[in-house]
Amino acid sequence: MHRTARTASVAVALAATFGISACGSSGGDGVAADKKQTLTVWAMGTEGEKLGEVAAEYQKKNPNITVKVTPVGWDVAHQKLVSAAAAGNLPDVTQMGSTFMGEFAELGVLEPVDTTVFKKDDFFPAAWDGNVVNGEVYGVPWYVDTRVLYYRTDLAGKAGVQKAPANWAELSALASAYQDKAKTKWGISLQPYNLDAWQNWLPFFYSAGGELIKDGKPALDSEAAVKSLTEYASYFEKGLSKKSVQPGYDVIKDFGNDSVPMFLSGPWQTTNIAENQPQLKGKWAAAPLPSGTSSTSWAGGSSLVVSKDSEHKAAATEFIKYLTEPANQADWYVRTTDLPSNKAAWDEGKLASDPNMKVFRTQMESAKAVPALAKWAEIGSKIDAAIESVTQGKATPEQAAKKMQSETAELVG
């Protein structure tokens, strides 16, 4: 998904209520892939709207298969999946958001991926790793996203800076120069609080060498956690970032009116800027994240999973194979601007020639997955609260890190 969906972790509780077993139930060998059959598929957001076109083309090449695509809104996707899992009515193939994976894998309703058909080395490491739960692979990466730095090159020039910041010191210096010399209202937009504030902080944490989980336990009171929270909070302490933003704040308008010259976000913003701020053509660029000890972002996106109860596993596998082949991934990018998970798809067309797209490929090579944890939604909310406490001056980074650690300890395992 373009924006990693936020979920409430209720599936485990529902498992007990509805009798979903820890290992699920298998549909057996089911129907052979070459037999006449109907394949049910759920896809979310823009993907749900566009996948029907691709499914129609697939059916022309595979006349024995009818692909029935049901579009599902991201706002209702989690609850719809939970209800279907509880009732044993998951579709044959489902688009699975990156933060959903741990929850549904733990319920035992997903079929493990056949790793003789889908090869880890074909995909970005972080995209593949986000589908691994207890050593088993449950999803095939469909498309990816990651966070990079967007910055106004024209305003940087006015501030006397001719290149993207390469490290944290240069990032802070550029934010100050924007205000002092280019006369912008702010230096950079970072999320101070609200839902999923962790998405803005996590690149700082990973770039400081942090790990969310180490040896099976949270590692949120580490030196990297304190260092990254300190760096993140400094932008608010210095008045370089807004301490208060409304839920759903769209930075692109302020990026276009010169008040916010930098922000961290994903690949969908390239289209957003082009369509909604056309006056910025040639006046902005995307750059790799400035380094702490490294330039490391996190990987989002969506994968494709097969229901453990499906009677059409063979056909489902063939359809997923089709959707993740390089040529079809490149075509899907043209249709949706979703970035391919299959690395070979990046070697042609705009993906190979557009410098902003190259930035995303470079960042994905070193990106880290968000671990597939059943209670990630609860863990994320604890991180959000810690971020708010430091950006609002209510706690020191050390205090916030210790609280994150203690409050998430029982949520992992």
Side-chain angles (χ1 to χ4, degrees), residues 99-114:
T99 58
F100 290 9
M101 184 59 68
E103 189 173 11
F104 287 91
E106 184 170 290
L107 282 174
V109 296
L110 305 182
E111 180 73 6
V113 169
D114 185 345

Side-chain angles (χ1 to χ4, degrees), residues 346-358:
W346 289 74
D347 294 333
E348 297 180 11
K350 184 178 179 181
L351 284 164
S353 60
D354 186 327
N356 288 321
M357 292 298 99
K358 289 181 179 179

Side-chain angles (χ1 to χ4, degrees), residues 372-412:
L373 301 169
K375 297 182 179 179
W376 171 252
E378 295 173 61
I379 294 168
S381 70
K382 302 299 183 184
I383 298 173
D384 289 346
I387 292 168
E388 179 175 358
S389 72
V390 295
T391 63
Q392 303 305 302
K394 298 176 181 177
T396 66
E398 291 82 3
Q399 291 168 337
K402 287 180 181 178
K403 190 173 183 181
M404 276 197 296
Q405 181 70 10
S406 64
E407 291 185 344
T408 58
E410 300 301 319
L411 299 176
V412 176

Side-chain angles (χ1 to χ4, degrees), residues 247-260:
Y249 166 68
D250 183 2
V251 71
I252 297 303
K253 181 178 178 180
D254 286 344
F255 192 62
N257 67 25
D258 301 357
S259 63
V260 171

Side-chain angles (χ1 to χ4, degrees), residues 171-180 183-190 192 230-245 259-262 390-393:
L171 179 65
S172 183
L174 178 55
S176 294
Y178 275 131
Q179 279 188 326
D180 297 342
K183 304 305 178 182
T184 63
K185 186 173 182 179
W186 306 102
I188 186 172
S189 176
L190 296 172
T230 300
E231 184 69 19
Y232 197 85
S234 70
Y235 290 92
F236 300 91
E237 294 166 0
K238 296 174 183 178
L240 296 170
S241 293
K242 298 180 185 181
K243 276 192 173 184
S244 176
V245 296
S259 63
V260 171
M262 287 195 294
V390 295
T391 63
Q392 303 305 302

